[in-house]
Amino acid sequence: MSRLLDKINDQKISRRNFLKATAAGTASLALAGCGSGLTSAGEKVNALGEEQGEWIPAACWHNCGGRCLNKALVVDGVVVRQKTDDTHEDSPDYPQQRGCLRGRSQRQQVFGADRLKYPMKRKHWQPGGGDKSLRGKDEWERISWDEALTYIADELQRVKKDYGNRSILHIGGWSSRITDISRTLGLFGGYCEYWNTNSFGSWAMTPKTVGFLQLGVWDQTVNDRFDLRNCETIIMLSMNPAWSAMGSSSWHYLQAKKAGAKFIGIDPFYNESYSMLGAEWVPVRPSTDSALLLAIAYVLITKDHPAMNPLIDWEFLNKYCLGFDAEHMPEGEDPQGNFKDYVLGTYDGVPKTPAWASEICGVDKIQIEKLAMEFRKDKKVAFLCGMASARTTNSDNLPQLIMTIGAMTGHMGKSGHMTGSTMHATSGNGGPALVCAGSNGLPGIANPVDDSINAGQVWDAILNGKYNFTGSGDFVSPDQFKPGQERDIDIHIIYHSGGATLQTSDGMTKGIEAHRKVDLVVSHSQFVTTNSKYADIVLPVTTEWEKFGGFSGGTLVHSGNREMLIMYSQITEPLYEARSDQWIAIELAKKLGIDEKEAFPFDEKQQFFNALASATVVNEDGKTYGPLVTITQKDIDEMGVAGKPQTGKITYRELKEKGVYQVKRSPGDNYGYIAYEDFVKDPGKNPLTSESGKLEIYSRQLAKTVNDMGFSRIHPIPSYIPPVNGYEDTFQDWESKAKGEYPYQVINPHYLRRSHTVFDNVKWLQEAWSNPVFLNTKDAQAKGISNGDTVLITSPYGQILRNACLTERVRPGVVALPHGAWVDIDEQTGIDRGGADNILSGQVPTGQGVSGFNTGVARIEKYTPSKLIPDVEKPARIVF
Ligand SMILES: Nc1nc2c(c(=O)[nH]1)N[C@H]1C(S)=C(S)[C@@H](COP(=O)(O)OP(=O)(O)OC[C@H]3O[C@@H](n4cnc5c(=O)[nH]c(N)nc54)[C@H](O)[C@@H]3O)O[C@H]1N2
Ligand SMILES: Nc1nc2c(c(=O)[nH]1)N[C@H]1C(S)=C(S)[C@@H](COP(=O)(O)OP(=O)(O)OC[C@H]3O[C@@H](n4cnc5c(=O)[nH]c(N)nc54)[C@H](O)[C@@H]3O)O[C@H]1N2
Ligand code: SF4
Ligand SMILES: [Mo]
């Protein structure tokens, strides 16, 4: 290390040598256990860097809960330090876009010793598959780009000829359609797609169908952040912005706290957010929120008295909703099917009382009664919901039930009142984007194959040759929720061009088996990720730091919070032999005899320019939009692109230097937002997205769509349907309450140390945040497990090891296993030492094709054969 520092100080080192040296330095650090070497490195180069370096806005491009401004200090081509937003003074009304611990460790990732350096082939792979069983444990051989692309092209041709294009499964992470290779494969005749409701769970389709969706965007059904300060009570259901929505969100909630709001958290885990906000805890069992909320409805209905105890907003129900009671049912439907009578148990004989719910959801019945009162109509209430509770099986009615509670109590469409979903980069800040990212201008390329397999069936489909086809595309496609149709499928190639899908999809144990079945697995990646570990040909790709530049949210669903747009620039030339995904797509097109100009009519720089020129920003009226960036002919000439000069709010030069454009906000400005305001003012003129244009507490369309898809069945009204692998399944016998083989429920909180799987290889972060399993103290003690003990967790689908962290913050009966750790199977025992969440999940799609990430059962026991070493002490995965 010290020789490296001397070299940097000498300023004699070339950039390329430095990168090699950095890589070596990080490797030795990793092996020795992270010492303080790098800190002193920072100090030494710091003084030097400040004089001579340039701060360049550096991408943080991951699917985390933030979009923050990060900058890298580059001295003579070498990144010596990082910092975050200091472009303006920080204040609650106009906050800096500050990065988190992960973003600030980005250089450790980009220049990590474990970066993939060259294309690689698995030693025992041969065209047709070779020894397939060795996937995940074989040796790697370095090959040239030409060899790699030739192997892939030949296999694609062979499989197309013998089995057809639908035997090529292309997985591009979130959506098969967004990665560059989808363009090449589209022109090649198409590919079978993979789709997943992912983050959204049953918020994927339900809200739009029942009329509970604003602006076409899922997490913008709540009011603007300033309006949080007008709320008396903020009830949060399955939310953890302090971990999962870094950036400014927590600060917005704190302003509401400062303004006097009372917070309540409905969650099996009393997480950092509730703790920060001093929230009252409603310790619900996972996947049982529907039971709890039905009992809330019961209390509201039975305790309401319009004059003496006004809890329900009858006017709101009458005017804006369908299906609450027998008098407001859709035409042609049996009046007995209404919500109120279901809650009261009029026809099914089961009143959904707090006692009824308590047995299921585990919240004391007195606490349920008290909680119901908090929703009362004469209080200013925000009912904010994250989507974790809907990443559960049989939860299709949950968003509808959340909407129903909000509608019953009239907490919609006015200041100080809100009901809806809010999560990720836009947590606590609803409304349309004030600055909008532009488009790269590439024309779409269709996929001629219409097959699309749900994440909850994809590995089973490969293994068994059958799946339930419900429509094409990903879940944002209107065509995805169609009547189900059993289809045969015969997958021969798995092509991973993005995402960490083997790691992040349901049922990893079966996923590995499926990967060991096909003829070829290709993976583009930056590290030996799980996808690449089980692949045959691995192609090293560049990070965003190695590209010409880009904008926050380029390929992601969320571009950031509504008030800003980030533009980043190139930090370094591509490392080693890494190439961009687009370069690979172009070169593969050439090998396949496809006109690459048809796939990519213009280059990445022109794509950047197009996005720059088409970015827009709101005008001061708060309604109309104009171009964001002023671009001169000189800028265009310097970039070497085709385009016309234009006038906007910030010059290209200033944006390039600052890295961010942020709309300056203050309370009472023109940029505020109240969800459902127009609808509430004039429902006739501003109908919602449902069949009737109203809030559908009874939704014919919802039940029909889900039931026709054929994964499982639901009712048109919100009802409690026991989840698959839920609390009920922890019992051998529900009546006698005899516990079964898997007596605990498992949830997967998104974890601070990583963004899903990304950053989990960074030693700084591994050292700062260990990755235990969180167990309730009493549960652990009953099993003789102490803090730090290694625990074996067994589900019906797989086994993992983690060291225990005992806490009272997880409710009894629940095991909280952080999401996203990299799998590390011990091939002798079959046990995963990495603690990967999806080793514990199965292939169980329900309803609209939801992944039940937070519905799982398991048993726990102290593991004695050996003790897990901390992740930071594990060697990094360095191949060459
Ligand atoms: N059990 C369980 N599973 C879950 C969840 C859970 O809570 N529990 N959460 C789910 C949710 S909400 C989500 S959104 C998904 C996320 O699932 P994924 O999208 O699969 O997860 P990421 O780890 O973000 O995957 C991004 C991958 O892309 C790679 N990458 C980064 N840049 C590039 C690039 O330029 N090119 C290429 N080719 N690759 C690149 C990264 O290294 C990483 O491997 O996981 C889901 N899975
Ligand atoms: N650090 C970090 N931040 C991230 C991510 C990451 O991986 N790491 N991922 C990003 C992405 S893509 C997404 S989708 C978001 C996800 O963001 P969130 O949905 O906020 O993430 P989670 O941490 O899974 O869940 C939030 C809370 O829901 C609780 N919960 C789980 N199941 C249930 C249930 O059945 N009922 C109730 N009432 N509560 C439940 C959990 O205990 C947790 O406290 O985070 C984003 N931000
Ligand atoms: S919250 Fe996300 S975008 Fe912001 S610094 Fe952290 S990892 Fe990067
Ligand atoms: Mo997500």
Side-chain angles (χ1 to χ4, degrees), residues 114 150 174 195 376 390 461 469 487 522 555 584 803 865 871:
D114 54 350
T150 305
W174 260 88
W195 74 283
R376 57 188 303 139
F469 172 78
R487 284 195 182 179
V522 182
T555 54
I584 298 171
N803 289 337
D871 296 345

Side-chain angles (χ1 to χ4, degrees), residues 65 102 238 243-244 267 271 287 289 391 750-751 754 756:
R102 300 180 301 269
S238 67
W243 275 6
S244 68
D267 202 304
N271 61 43
S287 308
D289 299 274
R391 294 196 283 272
H750 286 224
Y751 203 44
R754 50 191 174 249
H756 305 286

Side-chain angles (χ1 to χ4, degrees), residues 819-836:
H819 161 56
W822 294 21
V823 77
D824 175 19
I825 306 260
D826 177 344
E827 293 289 344
Q828 306 284 294
T829 59
I831 300 172
D832 167 36
R833 295 164 296 204

Side-chain angles (χ1 to χ4, degrees), residues 5 149 173 267 319 365 446 464 489 511 596 684 705:
L5 291 180
L149 293 165
D267 202 304
K319 203 164 162 191
K365 61 181 201 268
N464 306 326
I489 194 87
E596 75 270 16
T705 309

Side-chain angles (χ1 to χ4, degrees), residues 61-63 109 173-174 196 198-200 391 496-501 503-506 524-527 529 531 541-544 547 581 748-750 755-758 819-820 837-838 841 853-854:
W61 64 98
H62 315 290
N63 184 16
Q109 192 195 41
W174 260 88
N196 194 348
N198 253 333
S199 324
F200 302 91
R391 294 196 283 272
H496 289 289
S497 70
T501 312
Q503 177 74 61
T504 53
S505 277
D506 330 57
H524 295 199
S525 70
Q526 294 149 349
F527 309 95
T529 57
N531 285 349
V541 293
T542 46
T543 67
E544 293 303 300
K547 294 183 186 164
D581 293 290
N748 304 144
H750 286 224
S755 170
H756 305 286
T757 67
V758 174
H819 161 56
D837 43 2
N838 283 311
S841 68
F853 298 130
N854 285 318

Side-chain angles (χ1 to χ4, degrees), residues 765-820:
L765 295 170
Q766 291 179 350
E767 190 188 23
W769 279 77
S770 64
N771 181 34
V773 59
F774 298 101
L775 301 177
N776 175 272
T777 308
K778 283 198 201 79
D779 288 346
Q781 282 167 351
K783 291 269 167 191
I785 298 166
S786 309
N787 238 333
D789 281 353
T790 300
V791 182
L792 177 67
I793 307 172
T794 306
S795 85
Y797 310 102
Q799 293 193 299
I800 66 156
L801 294 176
R802 277 293 89 193
N803 289 337
C805 173
L806 274 47
T807 172
E808 301 291 337
R809 287 189 180 190
V810 174
R811 68 152 290 136
V814 175
V815 170
L817 177 71
H819 161 56

Side-chain angles (χ1 to χ4, degrees), residues 285-288 359-360 393-394 720-735 737-746 794-797 813 844 846 854-859:
R285 288 195 182 103
S287 308
T288 65
E359 189 186 9
I360 301 166
T393 55
N394 289 343
Y720 179 70
I721 303 171
V724 184
N725 292 328
Y727 177 59
E728 289 80 351
D729 297 306
T730 64
F731 296 94
Q732 198 183 116
D733 179 47
W734 174 255
E735 291 307 315
K737 294 285 179 294
K739 276 289 185 185
E741 206 182 330
Y742 306 105
Y744 299 94
Q745 289 185 271
V746 185
T794 306
S795 85
Y797 310 102
V844 192
T846 61
N854 285 318
T855 326
V857 293
R859 63 169 178 269

